[in-house]
Amino acid sequence: AHVISQHDSGNSSTIIELVLVGFSNHPQADISLFFLFSVVYLVNLFGNTVIIFLVVIDSCLQTPMYFFLCHLAFLNIFYTTTVVPKMFFNLLAPKKVISYDLCLAQTYISLLMGAAECIILAIMALDRFVAICYPLQYLLIMNWSMCVQLAVGAWIISFFASVVPLYFTMLPLCGPYIVDHIFCEVPVLLHMVCADTSLQETMMVIGACGTLLLPFLLITLSYLRILVAVMRMQSAEGRKKAFSTCSSHLTVVTIYYGTGMFMYMRPKSLYSAEGDKLISLFYAVINPALNPLIYSLRNKEVKGALKRLLERWSVSQRQMILS
């Protein structure tokens, strides 16, 4: 593939496109993977859109927890849409390439969305901590003004902690322009830089500490306090209800942080192309589709809102038929 365009005016060169290896090492699986990822992507779009729609139209779900869940659902859709369509195209295309501009866009967006998801998950843990440990003051502490400030703060902090440092420390790539991955992200691009990348690796670890490790510690401390509060409850029914409200969030946190920390908090020497493709596939494609399933299947409030929506829809359909 022609990956650079030479300028006649000098020795400089501009990268036009790069080879995106993806799963081309297993060409016999292209069709199967295309249909599999199509199903996962549609589940992601449908599930996360339904959650946003339910929260918007159902007053019972217009609480701080579901406000932040909406942000998580939007993030899941946007993150995966940045990655999956190009992956679909390359599975069926004879020429497995990605434009340099799209590659950079994927790198910046994946970093921003990853950081934002970590911080939003930490805010959701804080919300559960306040709800269980300070139930009488919950609505005073987690008022709408506070929720909006926390959400806006999460996106702003994510941007300045991830995108801005990368923009100012990004080094030019050198050939061969081959991305042995399923999409472009920082750990992969570092392998395409010919210069010393120790500064970039250090920045990546510092950034990961700020957007991965600190939120994770905050989540851990919140749940330790929640566990102590729940164990002190006299009512078995109360303990069961408290655990059920936290179990969905804990499941999502465990899956996301486990894969994210492995990908971004390790030296370049531990890179493994095939293994990292599976890890990235999990947190960028599969996990966003699992999130709405985890939150809806294990949550009575979401199932209740969905039931009310379906009942309203069936009533309106009957009225239309009768009229």
Side-chain angles (χ1 to χ4, degrees), residues 163-194:
V163 173
V164 173
L166 176 63
Y167 179 80
F168 285 108
T169 60
M170 189 76 176
L171 293 171
L173 307 180
C174 62
Y177 299 99
I178 300 171
V179 182
D180 192 3
H181 204 54
I182 57 174
F183 65 97
C184 294
E185 58 179 332
V186 177
V188 182
L189 292 191
L190 285 180
H191 285 267
M192 300 176 64
V193 174
C194 293

mmCIF file of all heavy atoms in Angstrom, residues 163-194:
data_model
loop_
_atom_site.group_PDB
_atom_site.id
_atom_site.type_symbol
_atom_site.label_atom_id
_atom_site.label_comp_id
_atom_site.label_asym_id
_atom_site.label_seq_id
_atom_site.Cartn_x
_atom_site.Cartn_y
_atom_site.Cartn_z
ATOM 1 N N VAL A 163 -5.965 14.045 26.151
ATOM 2 C CA VAL A 163 -5.769 14.568 24.789
ATOM 3 C C VAL A 163 -4.665 15.626 24.738
ATOM 4 O O VAL A 163 -3.788 15.576 23.867
ATOM 5 C CB VAL A 163 -7.092 15.159 24.245
ATOM 6 C CG1 VAL A 163 -6.870 15.849 22.909
ATOM 7 C CG2 VAL A 163 -8.135 14.051 24.107
ATOM 8 N N VAL A 164 -4.685 16.582 25.658
ATOM 9 C CA VAL A 164 -3.717 17.692 25.626
ATOM 10 C C VAL A 164 -2.269 17.199 25.778
ATOM 11 O O VAL A 164 -1.406 17.565 24.960
ATOM 12 C CB VAL A 164 -4.068 18.756 26.696
ATOM 13 C CG1 VAL A 164 -2.973 19.813 26.791
ATOM 14 C CG2 VAL A 164 -5.404 19.413 26.357
ATOM 15 N N PRO A 165 -1.938 16.351 26.782
ATOM 16 C CA PRO A 165 -0.552 15.866 26.875
ATOM 17 C C PRO A 165 -0.109 15.090 25.633
ATOM 18 O O PRO A 165 1.043 15.233 25.197
ATOM 19 C CB PRO A 165 -0.576 14.946 28.109
ATOM 20 C CG PRO A 165 -1.737 15.413 28.903
ATOM 21 C CD PRO A 165 -2.755 15.877 27.917
ATOM 22 N N LEU A 166 -1.005 14.292 25.061
ATOM 23 C CA LEU A 166 -0.654 13.527 23.871
ATOM 24 C C LEU A 166 -0.369 14.463 22.703
ATOM 25 O O LEU A 166 0.590 14.251 21.946
ATOM 26 C CB LEU A 166 -1.787 12.554 23.502
ATOM 27 C CG LEU A 166 -1.581 11.752 22.212
ATOM 28 C CD1 LEU A 166 -0.366 10.833 22.338
ATOM 29 C CD2 LEU A 166 -2.819 10.922 21.883
ATOM 30 N N TYR A 167 -1.181 15.503 22.543
ATOM 31 C CA TYR A 167 -1.014 16.449 21.435
ATOM 32 C C TYR A 167 0.365 17.114 21.481
ATOM 33 O O TYR A 167 1.025 17.271 20.458
ATOM 34 C CB TYR A 167 -2.121 17.503 21.489
ATOM 35 C CG TYR A 167 -2.014 18.536 20.393
ATOM 36 C CD1 TYR A 167 -2.477 18.260 19.097
ATOM 37 C CD2 TYR A 167 -1.435 19.784 20.649
ATOM 38 C CE1 TYR A 167 -2.363 19.210 18.098
ATOM 39 C CE2 TYR A 167 -1.318 20.730 19.641
ATOM 40 C CZ TYR A 167 -1.784 20.438 18.363
ATOM 41 O OH TYR A 167 -1.669 21.376 17.367
ATOM 42 N N PHE A 168 0.803 17.473 22.681
ATOM 43 C CA PHE A 168 2.070 18.206 22.801
ATOM 44 C C PHE A 168 3.298 17.293 22.850
ATOM 45 O O PHE A 168 4.427 17.775 22.730
ATOM 46 C CB PHE A 168 2.037 19.106 24.038
ATOM 47 C CG PHE A 168 1.191 20.328 23.860
ATOM 48 C CD1 PHE A 168 -0.028 20.450 24.510
ATOM 49 C CD2 PHE A 168 1.601 21.350 23.015
ATOM 50 C CE1 PHE A 168 -0.823 21.585 24.339
ATOM 51 C CE2 PHE A 168 0.817 22.489 22.831
ATOM 52 C CZ PHE A 168 -0.401 22.604 23.490
ATOM 53 N N THR A 169 3.102 16.002 23.035
ATOM 54 C CA THR A 169 4.260 15.092 23.111
ATOM 55 C C THR A 169 4.298 14.089 21.953
ATOM 56 O O THR A 169 5.194 13.263 21.890
ATOM 57 C CB THR A 169 4.264 14.306 24.442
ATOM 58 O OG1 THR A 169 3.052 13.531 24.539
ATOM 59 C CG2 THR A 169 4.368 15.233 25.630
ATOM 60 N N MET A 170 3.314 14.159 21.050
ATOM 61 C CA MET A 170 3.234 13.211 19.932
ATOM 62 C C MET A 170 4.433 13.378 19.002
ATOM 63 O O MET A 170 4.728 14.484 18.540
ATOM 64 C CB MET A 170 1.928 13.442 19.163
ATOM 65 C CG MET A 170 1.642 12.388 18.119
ATOM 66 S SD MET A 170 1.064 10.863 18.880
ATOM 67 C CE MET A 170 0.722 9.897 17.419
ATOM 68 N N LEU A 171 5.130 12.294 18.735
ATOM 69 C CA LEU A 171 6.280 12.310 17.834
ATOM 70 C C LEU A 171 5.868 11.799 16.459
ATOM 71 O O LEU A 171 4.918 11.020 16.333
ATOM 72 C CB LEU A 171 7.395 11.427 18.396
ATOM 73 C CG LEU A 171 8.057 11.908 19.686
ATOM 74 C CD1 LEU A 171 8.978 10.830 20.232
ATOM 75 C CD2 LEU A 171 8.840 13.198 19.449
ATOM 76 N N PRO A 172 6.581 12.219 15.400
ATOM 77 C CA PRO A 172 6.240 11.721 14.061
ATOM 78 C C PRO A 172 6.511 10.218 13.945
ATOM 79 O O PRO A 172 7.443 9.693 14.567
ATOM 80 C CB PRO A 172 7.152 12.532 13.139
ATOM 81 C CG PRO A 172 8.252 13.042 14.012
ATOM 82 C CD PRO A 172 7.667 13.205 15.378
ATOM 83 N N LEU A 173 5.693 9.548 13.152
ATOM 84 C CA LEU A 173 5.855 8.114 12.936
ATOM 85 C C LEU A 173 6.865 7.872 11.828
ATOM 86 O O LEU A 173 7.099 8.715 10.978
ATOM 87 C CB LEU A 173 4.506 7.483 12.555
ATOM 88 C CG LEU A 173 3.324 7.747 13.486
ATOM 89 C CD1 LEU A 173 2.074 7.049 12.964
ATOM 90 C CD2 LEU A 173 3.620 7.297 14.903
ATOM 91 N N CYS A 174 7.449 6.685 11.834
ATOM 92 C CA CYS A 174 8.343 6.325 10.728
ATOM 93 C C CYS A 174 8.015 4.910 10.262
ATOM 94 O O CYS A 174 7.395 4.134 10.982
ATOM 95 C CB CYS A 174 9.795 6.438 11.151
ATOM 96 S SG CYS A 174 10.267 5.342 12.486
ATOM 97 N N GLY A 175 8.396 4.609 9.050
ATOM 98 C CA GLY A 175 8.028 3.349 8.427
ATOM 99 C C GLY A 175 8.734 2.150 9.039
ATOM 100 O O GLY A 175 9.712 2.298 9.773
ATOM 101 N N PRO A 176 8.224 0.922 8.747
ATOM 102 C CA PRO A 176 7.057 0.694 7.890
ATOM 103 C C PRO A 176 5.762 1.121 8.592
ATOM 104 O O PRO A 176 5.617 0.907 9.796
ATOM 105 C CB PRO A 176 7.075 -0.819 7.653
ATOM 106 C CG PRO A 176 7.769 -1.377 8.862
ATOM 107 C CD PRO A 176 8.784 -0.346 9.269
ATOM 108 N N TYR A 177 4.868 1.741 7.837
ATOM 109 C CA TYR A 177 3.633 2.290 8.421
ATOM 110 C C TYR A 177 2.573 1.186 8.539
ATOM 111 O O TYR A 177 1.592 1.149 7.794
ATOM 112 C CB TYR A 177 3.129 3.459 7.574
ATOM 113 C CG TYR A 177 4.133 4.589 7.511
ATOM 114 C CD1 TYR A 177 4.980 4.741 6.427
ATOM 115 C CD2 TYR A 177 4.244 5.492 8.564
ATOM 116 C CE1 TYR A 177 5.905 5.769 6.374
ATOM 117 C CE2 TYR A 177 5.175 6.529 8.527
ATOM 118 C CZ TYR A 177 6.004 6.660 7.426
ATOM 119 O OH TYR A 177 6.914 7.679 7.388
ATOM 120 N N ILE A 178 2.831 0.291 9.480
ATOM 121 C CA ILE A 178 1.945 -0.857 9.676
ATOM 122 C C ILE A 178 1.444 -0.857 11.121
ATOM 123 O O ILE A 178 2.238 -0.926 12.064
ATOM 124 C CB ILE A 178 2.672 -2.188 9.364
ATOM 125 C CG1 ILE A 178 3.147 -2.202 7.902
ATOM 126 C CG2 ILE A 178 1.770 -3.380 9.655
ATOM 127 C CD1 ILE A 178 4.047 -3.365 7.561
ATOM 128 N N VAL A 179 0.131 -0.762 11.286
ATOM 129 C CA VAL A 179 -0.492 -0.806 12.614
ATOM 130 C C VAL A 179 -0.968 -2.236 12.851
ATOM 131 O O VAL A 179 -1.992 -2.656 12.318
ATOM 132 C CB VAL A 179 -1.688 0.176 12.705
ATOM 133 C CG1 VAL A 179 -2.292 0.140 14.110
ATOM 134 C CG2 VAL A 179 -1.261 1.587 12.345
ATOM 135 N N ASP A 180 -0.208 -2.986 13.646
ATOM 136 C CA ASP A 180 -0.566 -4.384 13.905
ATOM 137 C C ASP A 180 -1.554 -4.440 15.072
ATOM 138 O O ASP A 180 -1.248 -4.910 16.163
ATOM 139 C CB ASP A 180 0.687 -5.206 14.216
ATOM 140 C CG ASP A 180 0.400 -6.706 14.202
ATOM 141 O OD1 ASP A 180 -0.747 -7.095 13.893
ATOM 142 O OD2 ASP A 180 1.329 -7.491 14.496
ATOM 143 N N HIS A 181 -2.759 -3.930 14.797
ATOM 144 C CA HIS A 181 -3.780 -3.815 15.841
ATOM 145 C C HIS A 181 -5.142 -3.724 15.155
ATOM 146 O O HIS A 181 -5.226 -3.694 13.922
ATOM 147 C CB HIS A 181 -3.501 -2.564 16.684
ATOM 148 C CG HIS A 181 -4.088 -2.618 18.066
ATOM 149 N ND1 HIS A 181 -3.847 -3.646 18.949
ATOM 150 C CD2 HIS A 181 -4.929 -1.769 18.724
ATOM 151 C CE1 HIS A 181 -4.477 -3.417 20.087
ATOM 152 N NE2 HIS A 181 -5.165 -2.286 19.963
ATOM 153 N N ILE A 182 -6.238 -3.631 15.951
ATOM 154 C CA ILE A 182 -7.574 -3.524 15.346
ATOM 155 C C ILE A 182 -8.006 -2.068 15.169
ATOM 156 O O ILE A 182 -8.936 -1.774 14.426
ATOM 157 C CB ILE A 182 -8.632 -4.302 16.164
ATOM 158 C CG1 ILE A 182 -8.662 -3.804 17.627
ATOM 159 C CG2 ILE A 182 -8.378 -5.792 16.084
ATOM 160 C CD1 ILE A 182 -9.775 -4.422 18.463
ATOM 161 N N PHE A 183 -7.335 -1.148 15.882
ATOM 162 C CA PHE A 183 -7.554 0.282 15.672
ATOM 163 C C PHE A 183 -6.340 1.013 16.227
ATOM 164 O O PHE A 183 -5.453 0.401 16.833
ATOM 165 C CB PHE A 183 -8.856 0.777 16.319
ATOM 166 C CG PHE A 183 -8.906 0.697 17.824
ATOM 167 C CD1 PHE A 183 -8.614 1.795 18.602
ATOM 168 C CD2 PHE A 183 -9.266 -0.484 18.465
ATOM 169 C CE1 PHE A 183 -8.671 1.737 19.994
ATOM 170 C CE2 PHE A 183 -9.331 -0.568 19.847
ATOM 171 C CZ PHE A 183 -9.018 0.551 20.613
ATOM 172 N N CYS A 184 -6.277 2.328 16.015
ATOM 173 C CA CYS A 184 -5.119 3.098 16.470
ATOM 174 C C CYS A 184 -5.315 3.573 17.904
ATOM 175 O O CYS A 184 -6.325 4.215 18.207
ATOM 176 C CB CYS A 184 -4.903 4.312 15.559
ATOM 177 S SG CYS A 184 -4.447 3.877 13.869
ATOM 178 N N GLU A 185 -4.371 3.257 18.768
ATOM 179 C CA GLU A 185 -4.356 3.795 20.122
ATOM 180 C C GLU A 185 -2.911 3.957 20.568
ATOM 181 O O GLU A 185 -1.987 3.431 19.952
ATOM 182 C CB GLU A 185 -5.177 2.947 21.093
ATOM 183 C CG GLU A 185 -4.773 1.501 21.231
ATOM 184 C CD GLU A 185 -5.656 0.757 22.240
ATOM 185 O OE1 GLU A 185 -6.169 1.397 23.166
ATOM 186 O OE2 GLU A 185 -5.824 -0.457 22.092
ATOM 187 N N VAL A 186 -2.695 4.690 21.643
ATOM 188 C CA VAL A 186 -1.360 5.149 22.033
ATOM 189 C C VAL A 186 -0.320 4.032 22.172
ATOM 190 O O VAL A 186 0.762 4.120 21.592
ATOM 191 C CB VAL A 186 -1.420 5.978 23.347
ATOM 192 C CG1 VAL A 186 -0.023 6.395 23.789
ATOM 193 C CG2 VAL A 186 -2.282 7.205 23.153
ATOM 194 N N PRO A 187 -0.588 2.950 22.931
ATOM 195 C CA PRO A 187 0.456 1.929 23.093
ATOM 196 C C PRO A 187 0.935 1.343 21.765
ATOM 197 O O PRO A 187 2.106 0.962 21.644
ATOM 198 C CB PRO A 187 -0.234 0.849 23.948
ATOM 199 C CG PRO A 187 -1.331 1.566 24.660
ATOM 200 C CD PRO A 187 -1.810 2.600 23.693
ATOM 201 N N VAL A 188 0.038 1.285 20.787
ATOM 202 C CA VAL A 188 0.402 0.712 19.481
ATOM 203 C C VAL A 188 1.239 1.705 18.681
ATOM 204 O O VAL A 188 2.260 1.338 18.075
ATOM 205 C CB VAL A 188 -0.871 0.334 18.694
ATOM 206 C CG1 VAL A 188 -0.502 -0.300 17.364
ATOM 207 C CG2 VAL A 188 -1.736 -0.622 19.504
ATOM 208 N N LEU A 189 0.832 2.979 18.664
ATOM 209 C CA LEU A 189 1.554 3.989 17.892
ATOM 210 C C LEU A 189 2.962 4.219 18.428
ATOM 211 O O LEU A 189 3.860 4.601 17.667
ATOM 212 C CB LEU A 189 0.777 5.306 17.861
ATOM 213 C CG LEU A 189 -0.540 5.318 17.073
ATOM 214 C CD1 LEU A 189 -1.033 6.748 16.914
ATOM 215 C CD2 LEU A 189 -0.403 4.663 15.713
ATOM 216 N N LEU A 190 3.181 4.009 19.727
ATOM 217 C CA LEU A 190 4.526 4.180 20.292
ATOM 218 C C LEU A 190 5.532 3.244 19.627
ATOM 219 O O LEU A 190 6.721 3.547 19.572
ATOM 220 C CB LEU A 190 4.510 3.938 21.804
ATOM 221 C CG LEU A 190 3.916 5.049 22.682
ATOM 222 C CD1 LEU A 190 3.977 4.655 24.143
ATOM 223 C CD2 LEU A 190 4.614 6.378 22.459
ATOM 224 N N HIS A 191 5.055 2.124 19.122
ATOM 225 C CA HIS A 191 5.941 1.172 18.445
ATOM 226 C C HIS A 191 6.299 1.619 17.039
ATOM 227 O O HIS A 191 7.161 1.027 16.400
ATOM 228 C CB HIS A 191 5.285 -0.213 18.398
ATOM 229 C CG HIS A 191 5.318 -0.923 19.711
ATOM 230 N ND1 HIS A 191 6.308 -1.799 20.076
ATOM 231 C CD2 HIS A 191 4.492 -0.845 20.769
ATOM 232 C CE1 HIS A 191 6.091 -2.243 21.302
ATOM 233 N NE2 HIS A 191 4.989 -1.680 21.745
ATOM 234 N N MET A 192 5.637 2.662 16.554
ATOM 235 C CA MET A 192 5.908 3.159 15.206
ATOM 236 C C MET A 192 6.735 4.444 15.238
ATOM 237 O O MET A 192 6.944 5.075 14.211
ATOM 238 C CB MET A 192 4.589 3.397 14.474
ATOM 239 C CG MET A 192 3.750 2.141 14.342
ATOM 240 S SD MET A 192 2.158 2.473 13.587
ATOM 241 C CE MET A 192 2.663 3.027 11.965
ATOM 242 N N VAL A 193 7.189 4.821 16.426
ATOM 243 C CA VAL A 193 8.026 6.014 16.570
ATOM 244 C C VAL A 193 9.487 5.580 16.611
ATOM 245 O O VAL A 193 9.861 4.708 17.388
ATOM 246 C CB VAL A 193 7.661 6.779 17.861
ATOM 247 C CG1 VAL A 193 8.622 7.941 18.088
ATOM 248 C CG2 VAL A 193 6.224 7.290 17.787
ATOM 249 N N CYS A 194 10.304 6.195 15.734
ATOM 250 C CA CYS A 194 11.715 5.788 15.665
ATOM 251 C C CYS A 194 12.553 6.410 16.777
ATOM 252 O O CYS A 194 13.547 5.857 17.196
ATOM 253 C CB CYS A 194 12.297 6.193 14.314
ATOM 254 S SG CYS A 194 11.587 5.275 12.937
#
